[in-house]
Amino acid sequence: MKSISLKKLFLLHSWVGIVTAILLFIVCFTGALAVLSRPELKIWANPELHQLSNVPCAKVTELINHYHQQVPPEFGENIHVYLPTGHNTHLLTILFESHDGDENYDEEAAYAYQFDPRNFELVNEYYGAAGDFYEQRKTDAPSFIGHFHADLHLGRPIGLILTGFLGLTLLVSTITGLFIHRQLIKELFTFRRKKELDVVVNDAHKIMGIWGSLFHGIIGFTGAFLGLATIILLPAAAFVSFGGDQDKLVAKFTAMPEPIITNDYQATDINTILIDAQARYPKAKIIDLTIMAHNDANAQVYLRLIGGDAVASQLLHYHGNGEFSKSMSSFGDIPGPAIKVLELLFPLHFGNFAGIFVKLIWALLGLSTALLPLSGMMMWLAKRSRGSNPTLSELAYQRWNRSIIGSCGGLVLATAILFPAQVLLNNLVPVQTHNAYFGPLFFYSWLAWCLLAVLPINYHRYLQVTMTLTGLACMAVLPLNLALSASHAFSANNLLVTAVDISFLFIGGLFIYVSNCLVTKPLNGVTAKATREVTV
Amino acid sequence: MTFIYLTLGCLLLVASSLLLRTANSASRWLSLVVFCIATACFIAVYGNIAGVFIAVPTALLIGLLTAFLLGKKTSKQ
């Protein structure tokens, strides 16, 4: 490739990286955590789910039948059952929905009943607009981070478009990076950790980029698709094929078409259906059910399954009498290789297709994706602040470093704070008010840490304090759980909580160890001159 | 059995990564062969598609960790 083209690619790589670096770090770091958020961290965050095995099918059937009699008949058109698996709600939720509303609501209305999965006691009742029910669902630290990763809590469509475009920039940076560093095999193991900091960062950026290129590319592509599909691709497809009618497009490709209600009574055999699904796919987990025209001769039941031998999530279709109809993708029973590829995009992005082993791989590689823009930015700053004629003054270099530590380190700290806060909330605050705490706690702590960057403090010290506080927040989880909660790391049959609490302790210890290393072994190289700065 | 296959797969990937670190053509080919055997271990646990989807990122992660921990092989080594 001509050197002029390489120079252009290098410029594109640099500027795309610089402009999006901090946002990319935010999305990638929260994404790496979000991989573990459902169901593992969500189960950890909700004591109701701690020691839960399979939900008894007969009990679920009994509850559906019992509460169906308590709601007006039109609310039996659509019944959604969210099983307490850690993928949806933390309680067993049965939601009776009427598409056309009722005398009080013109829009979709719902009656919802939520039960404690340990003893099936009714915990919460809801009647109102269906959309409001989903918006007001109880959140927790892992779900909060998961939603933040998806749309940065900017709402939809703005948040989704932004994360979608960040996925595209990640893809562009990965491809241009591969062209720039053509000597891939030569640089595969080049990591000189005993050299100056700028050499270490340079090498780390290259090896993370080269080794992780395939992963970064896939995450960038799938992330762009997930962010932009419903906002841009769906309207575009509707415009091309359905004269702009999105509803028509959705109706054409929906996996769960509305059945015609005959008004002939026939009991819907949910118990048999649940048992049959478990027998057919013993390794998979049923996460929710949709029952259409319940107790009608034309009733249809759809079960969403995740895990097992299938890479993508699958939808099982049963007739109301318990007869199995078919297994299909979540997009419906559409033939063709394009749908097969499309359905693989989701598990490839979420890493949820083969249990905890894959999730850990995804989380670690995701962290390397998050570190790439950060190391790239450090290289860019170092390059401009060294040599006989630097374009970046020493003061500007320090300000840049502080702003990176404030924004990126602040995000890590704010995220770490959410977990001990979750333990405190679980034990000291009524469940109904939990939702009000996570947003302010996360954003105000992050904002406060960002504002500290304005002060002319030594950025080494700033980094060290950030890491120490993050470590302390992580390490606080286990003792807090032990002191306050009845279901803690040392309770019997509580393997997941034990693993998560000990992991937090280990990660916290690691943060504190690294922050101590920063003191005993001050950063050298290009940053050495920058240490001669105004210190408060 | 799953645990044994996963451990074996990971150990083979470490071996593959170490072989790739040795800068000669024969060891690189051998590294590829070892990687294929490791992939077979993952396929045995997760099936064809998922097995490959897991083997490749695991190899990438182990390669990255090898690079971070051991660095480039020098002539003294």
Side-chain angles (χ1 to χ4, degrees), chain A residues 227-257:
Chain A
L228 302 176
T230 51
I231 310 300
I232 293 175
L233 299 182
L234 192 70
F239 181 77
V240 171
S241 306
F242 293 87
D245 191 345
Q246 283 188 48
D247 292 336
K248 214 170 170 182
L249 182 141
V250 172
K252 171 89 177 169
F253 291 106
T254 186
M256 295 185 264

PDB file of all heavy atoms in Angstrom, chain A residues 227-257:
ATOM      1  N   GLY A 227     -27.639  -1.033  17.742  1.00  0.00           N
ATOM      2  CA  GLY A 227     -27.991   0.360  18.015  1.00  0.00           C
ATOM      3  C   GLY A 227     -28.827   0.981  16.909  1.00  0.00           C
ATOM      4  O   GLY A 227     -29.767   1.725  17.167  1.00  0.00           O
ATOM      5  N   LEU A 228     -28.470   0.639  15.661  1.00  0.00           N
ATOM      6  CA  LEU A 228     -29.088   1.345  14.544  1.00  0.00           C
ATOM      7  C   LEU A 228     -30.225   0.576  13.890  1.00  0.00           C
ATOM      8  O   LEU A 228     -30.983   1.158  13.109  1.00  0.00           O
ATOM      9  CB  LEU A 228     -28.024   1.670  13.486  1.00  0.00           C
ATOM     10  CG  LEU A 228     -26.837   2.518  13.977  1.00  0.00           C
ATOM     11  CD1 LEU A 228     -25.818   2.695  12.873  1.00  0.00           C
ATOM     12  CD2 LEU A 228     -27.301   3.887  14.463  1.00  0.00           C
ATOM     13  N   ALA A 229     -30.361  -0.716  14.207  1.00  0.00           N
ATOM     14  CA  ALA A 229     -31.347  -1.556  13.496  1.00  0.00           C
ATOM     15  C   ALA A 229     -32.753  -0.998  13.619  1.00  0.00           C
ATOM     16  O   ALA A 229     -33.425  -0.764  12.610  1.00  0.00           O
ATOM     17  CB  ALA A 229     -31.289  -2.984  14.012  1.00  0.00           C
ATOM     18  N   THR A 230     -33.202  -0.781  14.881  1.00  0.00           N
ATOM     19  CA  THR A 230     -34.595  -0.370  15.050  1.00  0.00           C
ATOM     20  C   THR A 230     -34.805   1.093  14.676  1.00  0.00           C
ATOM     21  O   THR A 230     -35.902   1.496  14.350  1.00  0.00           O
ATOM     22  CB  THR A 230     -35.045  -0.575  16.509  1.00  0.00           C
ATOM     23  OG1 THR A 230     -34.092   0.047  17.357  1.00  0.00           O
ATOM     24  CG2 THR A 230     -35.168  -2.035  16.850  1.00  0.00           C
ATOM     25  N   ILE A 231     -33.732   1.872  14.728  1.00  0.00           N
ATOM     26  CA  ILE A 231     -33.878   3.316  14.498  1.00  0.00           C
ATOM     27  C   ILE A 231     -33.736   3.682  13.022  1.00  0.00           C
ATOM     28  O   ILE A 231     -34.473   4.507  12.505  1.00  0.00           O
ATOM     29  CB  ILE A 231     -32.794   4.092  15.308  1.00  0.00           C
ATOM     30  CG1 ILE A 231     -32.784   3.638  16.762  1.00  0.00           C
ATOM     31  CG2 ILE A 231     -32.998   5.584  15.199  1.00  0.00           C
ATOM     32  CD1 ILE A 231     -34.075   3.854  17.495  1.00  0.00           C
ATOM     33  N   ILE A 232     -32.773   3.037  12.360  1.00  0.00           N
ATOM     34  CA  ILE A 232     -32.502   3.424  10.976  1.00  0.00           C
ATOM     35  C   ILE A 232     -32.839   2.288   9.992  1.00  0.00           C
ATOM     36  O   ILE A 232     -33.518   2.509   8.994  1.00  0.00           O
ATOM     37  CB  ILE A 232     -31.019   3.852  10.817  1.00  0.00           C
ATOM     38  CG1 ILE A 232     -30.785   5.141  11.612  1.00  0.00           C
ATOM     39  CG2 ILE A 232     -30.647   4.046   9.357  1.00  0.00           C
ATOM     40  CD1 ILE A 232     -29.369   5.614  11.640  1.00  0.00           C
ATOM     41  N   LEU A 233     -32.392   1.064  10.327  1.00  0.00           N
ATOM     42  CA  LEU A 233     -32.551  -0.021   9.356  1.00  0.00           C
ATOM     43  C   LEU A 233     -34.013  -0.430   9.176  1.00  0.00           C
ATOM     44  O   LEU A 233     -34.452  -0.700   8.070  1.00  0.00           O
ATOM     45  CB  LEU A 233     -31.707  -1.235   9.781  1.00  0.00           C
ATOM     46  CG  LEU A 233     -30.197  -0.988   9.871  1.00  0.00           C
ATOM     47  CD1 LEU A 233     -29.456  -2.255  10.256  1.00  0.00           C
ATOM     48  CD2 LEU A 233     -29.663  -0.475   8.533  1.00  0.00           C
ATOM     49  N   LEU A 234     -34.760  -0.478  10.295  1.00  0.00           N
ATOM     50  CA  LEU A 234     -36.170  -0.892  10.214  1.00  0.00           C
ATOM     51  C   LEU A 234     -36.999   0.101   9.390  1.00  0.00           C
ATOM     52  O   LEU A 234     -37.701  -0.304   8.449  1.00  0.00           O
ATOM     53  CB  LEU A 234     -36.750  -1.057  11.627  1.00  0.00           C
ATOM     54  CG  LEU A 234     -38.093  -1.740  11.723  1.00  0.00           C
ATOM     55  CD1 LEU A 234     -37.985  -3.216  11.385  1.00  0.00           C
ATOM     56  CD2 LEU A 234     -38.670  -1.591  13.130  1.00  0.00           C
ATOM     57  N   PRO A 235     -36.918   1.420   9.690  1.00  0.00           N
ATOM     58  CA  PRO A 235     -37.645   2.364   8.838  1.00  0.00           C
ATOM     59  C   PRO A 235     -37.183   2.317   7.385  1.00  0.00           C
ATOM     60  O   PRO A 235     -38.000   2.456   6.471  1.00  0.00           O
ATOM     61  CB  PRO A 235     -37.315   3.729   9.456  1.00  0.00           C
ATOM     62  CG  PRO A 235     -36.939   3.429  10.856  1.00  0.00           C
ATOM     63  CD  PRO A 235     -36.292   2.095  10.828  1.00  0.00           C
ATOM     64  N   ALA A 236     -35.866   2.086   7.179  1.00  0.00           N
ATOM     65  CA  ALA A 236     -35.346   2.028   5.810  1.00  0.00           C
ATOM     66  C   ALA A 236     -35.947   0.830   5.074  1.00  0.00           C
ATOM     67  O   ALA A 236     -36.386   0.949   3.923  1.00  0.00           O
ATOM     68  CB  ALA A 236     -33.825   1.930   5.828  1.00  0.00           C
ATOM     69  N   ALA A 237     -35.990  -0.338   5.768  1.00  0.00           N
ATOM     70  CA  ALA A 237     -36.567  -1.539   5.150  1.00  0.00           C
ATOM     71  C   ALA A 237     -38.048  -1.323   4.869  1.00  0.00           C
ATOM     72  O   ALA A 237     -38.560  -1.725   3.817  1.00  0.00           O
ATOM     73  CB  ALA A 237     -36.366  -2.733   6.066  1.00  0.00           C
ATOM     74  N   ALA A 238     -38.754  -0.671   5.807  1.00  0.00           N
ATOM     75  CA  ALA A 238     -40.181  -0.415   5.633  1.00  0.00           C
ATOM     76  C   ALA A 238     -40.401   0.531   4.450  1.00  0.00           C
ATOM     77  O   ALA A 238     -41.340   0.371   3.664  1.00  0.00           O
ATOM     78  CB  ALA A 238     -40.767   0.193   6.904  1.00  0.00           C
ATOM     79  N   PHE A 239     -39.503   1.514   4.311  1.00  0.00           N
ATOM     80  CA  PHE A 239     -39.606   2.491   3.234  1.00  0.00           C
ATOM     81  C   PHE A 239     -39.443   1.815   1.870  1.00  0.00           C
ATOM     82  O   PHE A 239     -40.182   2.075   0.932  1.00  0.00           O
ATOM     83  CB  PHE A 239     -38.532   3.573   3.433  1.00  0.00           C
ATOM     84  CG  PHE A 239     -38.564   4.654   2.402  1.00  0.00           C
ATOM     85  CD1 PHE A 239     -39.535   5.651   2.456  1.00  0.00           C
ATOM     86  CD2 PHE A 239     -37.646   4.679   1.371  1.00  0.00           C
ATOM     87  CE1 PHE A 239     -39.581   6.649   1.497  1.00  0.00           C
ATOM     88  CE2 PHE A 239     -37.684   5.667   0.409  1.00  0.00           C
ATOM     89  CZ  PHE A 239     -38.648   6.650   0.475  1.00  0.00           C
ATOM     90  N   VAL A 240     -38.471   0.880   1.818  1.00  0.00           N
ATOM     91  CA  VAL A 240     -38.169   0.226   0.539  1.00  0.00           C
ATOM     92  C   VAL A 240     -39.274  -0.765   0.165  1.00  0.00           C
ATOM     93  O   VAL A 240     -39.751  -0.790  -0.976  1.00  0.00           O
ATOM     94  CB  VAL A 240     -36.792  -0.490   0.621  1.00  0.00           C
ATOM     95  CG1 VAL A 240     -36.544  -1.352  -0.608  1.00  0.00           C
ATOM     96  CG2 VAL A 240     -35.688   0.546   0.776  1.00  0.00           C
ATOM     97  N   SER A 241     -39.718  -1.586   1.155  1.00  0.00           N
ATOM     98  CA  SER A 241     -40.596  -2.710   0.804  1.00  0.00           C
ATOM     99  C   SER A 241     -42.060  -2.527   1.169  1.00  0.00           C
ATOM    100  O   SER A 241     -42.910  -3.236   0.654  1.00  0.00           O
ATOM    101  CB  SER A 241     -40.083  -3.987   1.467  1.00  0.00           C
ATOM    102  OG  SER A 241     -38.741  -4.198   1.155  1.00  0.00           O
ATOM    103  N   PHE A 242     -42.374  -1.631   2.090  1.00  0.00           N
ATOM    104  CA  PHE A 242     -43.761  -1.534   2.555  1.00  0.00           C
ATOM    105  C   PHE A 242     -44.308  -0.104   2.477  1.00  0.00           C
ATOM    106  O   PHE A 242     -45.189   0.267   3.252  1.00  0.00           O
ATOM    107  CB  PHE A 242     -43.866  -2.049   4.002  1.00  0.00           C
ATOM    108  CG  PHE A 242     -43.607  -3.526   4.119  1.00  0.00           C
ATOM    109  CD1 PHE A 242     -42.312  -4.008   4.269  1.00  0.00           C
ATOM    110  CD2 PHE A 242     -44.647  -4.440   4.043  1.00  0.00           C
ATOM    111  CE1 PHE A 242     -42.067  -5.365   4.348  1.00  0.00           C
ATOM    112  CE2 PHE A 242     -44.409  -5.801   4.131  1.00  0.00           C
ATOM    113  CZ  PHE A 242     -43.117  -6.265   4.280  1.00  0.00           C
ATOM    114  N   GLY A 243     -43.763   0.678   1.593  1.00  0.00           N
ATOM    115  CA  GLY A 243     -44.249   2.048   1.411  1.00  0.00           C
ATOM    116  C   GLY A 243     -44.161   2.874   2.683  1.00  0.00           C
ATOM    117  O   GLY A 243     -44.990   3.754   2.923  1.00  0.00           O
ATOM    118  N   GLY A 244     -43.198   2.586   3.520  1.00  0.00           N
ATOM    119  CA  GLY A 244     -42.987   3.362   4.751  1.00  0.00           C
ATOM    120  C   GLY A 244     -43.817   2.874   5.931  1.00  0.00           C
ATOM    121  O   GLY A 244     -43.712   3.441   7.023  1.00  0.00           O
ATOM    122  N   ASP A 245     -44.631   1.821   5.756  1.00  0.00           N
ATOM    123  CA  ASP A 245     -45.498   1.339   6.831  1.00  0.00           C
ATOM    124  C   ASP A 245     -44.729   0.337   7.717  1.00  0.00           C
ATOM    125  O   ASP A 245     -44.631  -0.849   7.400  1.00  0.00           O
ATOM    126  CB  ASP A 245     -46.743   0.677   6.234  1.00  0.00           C
ATOM    127  CG  ASP A 245     -47.797   0.398   7.288  1.00  0.00           C
ATOM    128  OD1 ASP A 245     -47.446   0.446   8.483  1.00  0.00           O
ATOM    129  OD2 ASP A 245     -48.953   0.133   6.916  1.00  0.00           O
ATOM    130  N   GLN A 246     -44.201   0.850   8.841  1.00  0.00           N
ATOM    131  CA  GLN A 246     -43.406  -0.017   9.734  1.00  0.00           C
ATOM    132  C   GLN A 246     -44.261  -1.095  10.387  1.00  0.00           C
ATOM    133  O   GLN A 246     -43.802  -2.215  10.598  1.00  0.00           O
ATOM    134  CB  GLN A 246     -42.745   0.829  10.824  1.00  0.00           C
ATOM    135  CG  GLN A 246     -41.543   1.593  10.327  1.00  0.00           C
ATOM    136  CD  GLN A 246     -40.828   2.256  11.478  1.00  0.00           C
ATOM    137  OE1 GLN A 246     -40.548   1.649  12.496  1.00  0.00           O
ATOM    138  NE2 GLN A 246     -40.537   3.532  11.316  1.00  0.00           N
ATOM    139  N   ASP A 247     -45.509  -0.751  10.721  1.00  0.00           N
ATOM    140  CA  ASP A 247     -46.392  -1.729  11.379  1.00  0.00           C
ATOM    141  C   ASP A 247     -46.625  -2.938  10.474  1.00  0.00           C
ATOM    142  O   ASP A 247     -46.664  -4.078  10.931  1.00  0.00           O
ATOM    143  CB  ASP A 247     -47.727  -1.081  11.741  1.00  0.00           C
ATOM    144  CG  ASP A 247     -47.546  -0.033  12.827  1.00  0.00           C
ATOM    145  OD1 ASP A 247     -46.546  -0.141  13.569  1.00  0.00           O
ATOM    146  OD2 ASP A 247     -48.370   0.886  12.918  1.00  0.00           O
ATOM    147  N   LYS A 248     -46.776  -2.644   9.180  1.00  0.00           N
ATOM    148  CA  LYS A 248     -47.002  -3.712   8.199  1.00  0.00           C
ATOM    149  C   LYS A 248     -45.780  -4.631   8.153  1.00  0.00           C
ATOM    150  O   LYS A 248     -45.911  -5.863   8.097  1.00  0.00           O
ATOM    151  CB  LYS A 248     -47.234  -3.076   6.826  1.00  0.00           C
ATOM    152  CG  LYS A 248     -48.215  -3.832   5.952  1.00  0.00           C
ATOM    153  CD  LYS A 248     -48.524  -2.964   4.751  1.00  0.00           C
ATOM    154  CE  LYS A 248     -49.303  -3.740   3.718  1.00  0.00           C
ATOM    155  NZ  LYS A 248     -49.568  -2.916   2.545  1.00  0.00           N
ATOM    156  N   LEU A 249     -44.602  -4.011   8.187  1.00  0.00           N
ATOM    157  CA  LEU A 249     -43.360  -4.793   8.156  1.00  0.00           C
ATOM    158  C   LEU A 249     -43.251  -5.685   9.393  1.00  0.00           C
ATOM    159  O   LEU A 249     -42.943  -6.867   9.305  1.00  0.00           O
ATOM    160  CB  LEU A 249     -42.160  -3.839   8.080  1.00  0.00           C
ATOM    161  CG  LEU A 249     -40.779  -4.495   7.979  1.00  0.00           C
ATOM    162  CD1 LEU A 249     -39.897  -3.710   7.015  1.00  0.00           C
ATOM    163  CD2 LEU A 249     -40.057  -4.562   9.309  1.00  0.00           C
ATOM    164  N   VAL A 250     -43.541  -5.085  10.560  1.00  0.00           N
ATOM    165  CA  VAL A 250     -43.454  -5.853  11.809  1.00  0.00           C
ATOM    166  C   VAL A 250     -44.476  -6.985  11.802  1.00  0.00           C
ATOM    167  O   VAL A 250     -44.173  -8.120  12.185  1.00  0.00           O
ATOM    168  CB  VAL A 250     -43.662  -4.913  13.033  1.00  0.00           C
ATOM    169  CG1 VAL A 250     -43.769  -5.713  14.314  1.00  0.00           C
ATOM    170  CG2 VAL A 250     -42.519  -3.920  13.129  1.00  0.00           C
ATOM    171  N   ALA A 251     -45.711  -6.680  11.319  1.00  0.00           N
ATOM    172  CA  ALA A 251     -46.752  -7.709  11.272  1.00  0.00           C
ATOM    173  C   ALA A 251     -46.350  -8.853  10.351  1.00  0.00           C
ATOM    174  O   ALA A 251     -46.620 -10.024  10.627  1.00  0.00           O
ATOM    175  CB  ALA A 251     -48.059  -7.089  10.794  1.00  0.00           C
ATOM    176  N   LYS A 252     -45.652  -8.516   9.257  1.00  0.00           N
ATOM    177  CA  LYS A 252     -45.234  -9.539   8.284  1.00  0.00           C
ATOM    178  C   LYS A 252     -44.214 -10.498   8.910  1.00  0.00           C
ATOM    179  O   LYS A 252     -44.257 -11.702   8.686  1.00  0.00           O
ATOM    180  CB  LYS A 252     -44.637  -8.831   7.068  1.00  0.00           C
ATOM    181  CG  LYS A 252     -43.957  -9.726   6.058  1.00  0.00           C
ATOM    182  CD  LYS A 252     -44.910 -10.218   5.017  1.00  0.00           C
ATOM    183  CE  LYS A 252     -44.189 -11.071   3.963  1.00  0.00           C
ATOM    184  NZ  LYS A 252     -45.105 -11.762   3.102  1.00  0.00           N
ATOM    185  N   PHE A 253     -43.294  -9.926   9.687  1.00  0.00           N
ATOM    186  CA  PHE A 253     -42.197 -10.743  10.204  1.00  0.00           C
ATOM    187  C   PHE A 253     -42.348 -11.133  11.675  1.00  0.00           C
ATOM    188  O   PHE A 253     -41.443 -11.693  12.259  1.00  0.00           O
ATOM    189  CB  PHE A 253     -40.852 -10.020  10.012  1.00  0.00           C
ATOM    190  CG  PHE A 253     -40.449  -9.926   8.578  1.00  0.00           C
ATOM    191  CD1 PHE A 253     -40.536  -8.728   7.899  1.00  0.00           C
ATOM    192  CD2 PHE A 253     -40.024 -11.045   7.891  1.00  0.00           C
ATOM    193  CE1 PHE A 253     -40.183  -8.640   6.563  1.00  0.00           C
ATOM    194  CE2 PHE A 253     -39.670 -10.968   6.554  1.00  0.00           C
ATOM    195  CZ  PHE A 253     -39.751  -9.764   5.887  1.00  0.00           C
ATOM    196  N   THR A 254     -43.497 -10.804  12.284  1.00  0.00           N
ATOM    197  CA  THR A 254     -43.622 -11.129  13.705  1.00  0.00           C
ATOM    198  C   THR A 254     -43.637 -12.648  13.929  1.00  0.00           C
ATOM    199  O   THR A 254     -44.220 -13.401  13.148  1.00  0.00           O
ATOM    200  CB  THR A 254     -44.879 -10.473  14.325  1.00  0.00           C
ATOM    201  OG1 THR A 254     -44.847 -10.708  15.718  1.00  0.00           O
ATOM    202  CG2 THR A 254     -46.161 -11.052  13.752  1.00  0.00           C
ATOM    203  N   ALA A 255     -42.972 -13.030  15.007  1.00  0.00           N
ATOM    204  CA  ALA A 255     -42.904 -14.458  15.320  1.00  0.00           C
ATOM    205  C   ALA A 255     -44.181 -14.936  15.983  1.00  0.00           C
ATOM    206  O   ALA A 255     -44.457 -16.127  16.024  1.00  0.00           O
ATOM    207  CB  ALA A 255     -41.712 -14.703  16.230  1.00  0.00           C
ATOM    208  N   MET A 256     -44.965 -14.000  16.538  1.00  0.00           N
ATOM    209  CA  MET A 256     -46.157 -14.386  17.299  1.00  0.00           C
ATOM    210  C   MET A 256     -47.396 -13.678  16.748  1.00  0.00           C
ATOM    211  O   MET A 256     -47.835 -12.660  17.292  1.00  0.00           O
ATOM    212  CB  MET A 256     -45.958 -14.022  18.777  1.00  0.00           C
ATOM    213  CG  MET A 256     -44.854 -14.816  19.430  1.00  0.00           C
ATOM    214  SD  MET A 256     -44.715 -14.493  21.177  1.00  0.00           S
ATOM    215  CE  MET A 256     -43.453 -13.265  21.221  1.00  0.00           C
ATOM    216  N   PRO A 257     -47.961 -14.167  15.652  1.00  0.00           N
ATOM    217  CA  PRO A 257     -49.154 -13.511  15.099  1.00  0.00           C
ATOM    218  C   PRO A 257     -50.357 -13.697  16.022  1.00  0.00           C
ATOM    219  O   PRO A 257     -50.463 -14.707  16.721  1.00  0.00           O
ATOM    220  CB  PRO A 257     -49.361 -14.225  13.760  1.00  0.00           C
ATOM    221  CG  PRO A 257     -48.685 -15.536  13.908  1.00  0.00           C
ATOM    222  CD  PRO A 257     -47.565 -15.349  14.876  1.00  0.00           C
TER     223      PRO A 257
END
